[in-house]
Amino acid sequence: MQIARTIAEMKALRMKSFGSVGFVPTMGYLHDGHLALIKQARVENSVVVASIFVNPTQFGPTEDFKTYPRNTERDLAMLEKERTDIVFMPSAEEIYPEGFSSWVEVEKITDRLEESCRPGHFRGVATVVTKLFNIVEPTCAYFGQKDAQQALVIKKMAADLNMNLEVIVAPTARESDGLAMSSRNIYLNPQERQAATVLFKSLTIAQNLWEKSDRNAERIRQEMTSFISKEPLAKIEYVSIADAETLEELTEIDKPALASLAVRFGKTRLIDNVLLG
Ligand code: AMP
């Protein structure tokens, strides 16, 4: 496994890579959800590149950029075990040099859900992912369904801007009690960790209602909201039943829908989702 710490080193390694290149961008502090993406990239490509970069521009001023969990040594050992070929770990100074002034903005699907709670988040994500794509030049790039809106934004951006790669979205990896794996789960104290199981349970309620042919989106949102509200440690930011493509809120579920939510447990903000249909 080779480690590129500068853009020049990454580009030099890319020049020497043959066949398809599968790319998994991450912010590190890896878990089995990240490793599932690496495993899929390993099966489907000649060369696997992972990046570890905690991107400052996708964090708001009051968010957890400074305290975001980091453990490079452990991450590198995990990536090596999965037979990753190249790890790209640039510095923020090189990605955003003084005078940096070009941004990628994806409109409409970024108007709601995550963006309403984290203004500017997707501008940071779209910009850094574009830069990473330009540097790594992957054949395929792998993203997790866990961050459903992010996956849609990247797909839209790649299509709208004719990016020469395939965006692949892999299923959400979960703990045995259903909690979606996330680097941020480490922030939860034992009570909050237990309380956080309401997220997947409420999504399962949505799924069950949908499977019983309930197509009333407002009723499903209410059922989810009232279930989560019974947990005193949970503070809801949003509960959404939206068009799975445009993310517009639905009244009637007459097309594939995304049930998604963002909930705070103490200082920790968690998101999760399931597809209906
Ligand atoms: P992050 O390091 O949180 O930016 O995540 C890097 C990539 O891993 C993103 O494409 C995420 O959507 C994906 N990812 C994070 N958690 C999970 C999970 N539990 N299951 C599947 N993919 C995930």
Side-chain angles (χ1 to χ4, degrees), residues 205-222:
I205 290 172
Q207 219 158 21
N208 289 342
L209 287 168
W210 187 84
E211 272 161 21
K212 285 185 195 141
S213 303
D214 193 337
R215 296 292 181 265
N216 183 330
E218 187 47 33
R219 184 161 55 222
I220 297 180
R221 273 190 290 267
Q222 272 168 12

Side-chain angles (χ1 to χ4, degrees), residues 14 19-25 37-38 40-50 129 132-133 136-143 154 158 163-169:
R14 178 64 181 93
S20 66
V21 174
F23 177 42
V24 182
L37 301 182
I38 300 279
Q40 188 175 345
R42 181 70 282 167
V43 170
E44 295 175 359
N45 298 275
S46 319
V47 177
V48 175
V49 180
V129 170
L132 293 170
F133 284 176
V136 174
E137 296 184 61
T139 320
C140 307
Y142 295 80
F143 293 86
I154 305 291
M163 292 181 171
N164 197 18
L165 54 92
E166 192 185 345
V167 175
I168 294 164
V169 181

Side-chain angles (χ1 to χ4, degrees), residues 1 16 66 91 97 103 110 131 137 185 223 246 258 272:
M1 187 170 83
K16 288 192 268 170
K66 286 219 171 86
S91 68
W103 299 93
T110 57
K131 286 174 69 77
E137 296 184 61
N185 291 349
E223 291 285 338
T246 64
L258 182 77
D272 199 355

Side-chain angles (χ1 to χ4, degrees), residues 134-274:
N134 285 338
I135 296 163
V136 174
E137 296 184 61
T139 320
C140 307
Y142 295 80
F143 293 86
Q145 176 63 25
K146 148 86 169 24
D147 300 281
Q149 190 175 14
Q150 170 174 280
L152 284 173
V153 168
I154 305 291
K155 276 195 154 184
K156 189 78 175 72
M157 173 184 88
D160 284 353
L161 300 181
N162 308 98
M163 292 181 171
N164 197 18
L165 54 92
E166 192 185 345
V167 175
I168 294 164
V169 181
T172 301
R174 300 183 177 283
E175 303 289 354
S176 54
D177 61 4
L179 181 68
M181 289 182 181
S182 163
S183 307
R184 290 190 168 99
N185 291 349
I186 188 82
Y187 297 142
L188 300 168
N189 68 32
Q191 294 75 26
E192 291 165 347
R193 170 65 186 79
Q194 178 52 37
T197 58
V198 296
L199 300 193
F200 186 60
K201 286 181 189 154
S202 74
L203 290 168
T204 307
I205 290 172
Q207 219 158 21
N208 289 342
L209 287 168
W210 187 84
E211 272 161 21
K212 285 185 195 141
S213 303
D214 193 337
R215 296 292 181 265
N216 183 330
E218 187 47 33
R219 184 161 55 222
I220 297 180
R221 273 190 290 267
Q222 272 168 12
E223 291 285 338
M224 293 172 72
T225 304
S226 78
F227 180 81
I228 300 168
S229 304
K230 285 187 205 133
E231 170 50 64
L233 295 178
K235 301 274 170 290
I236 296 176
E237 284 198 355
Y238 64 79
V239 169
S240 159
I241 306 287
D243 181 317
E245 262 178 47
T246 64
L247 299 183
E248 277 165 40
E249 286 302 314
L250 294 173
T251 327
E252 178 80 10
I253 309 179
D254 52 2
K255 50 184 93 154
L258 182 77
S260 69
L261 39 72
V263 179
R264 275 183 193 280
F265 297 87
K267 288 200 176 108
T268 309
R269 181 175 184 279
L270 300 180
I271 59 171
D272 199 355
N273 68 85
V274 294

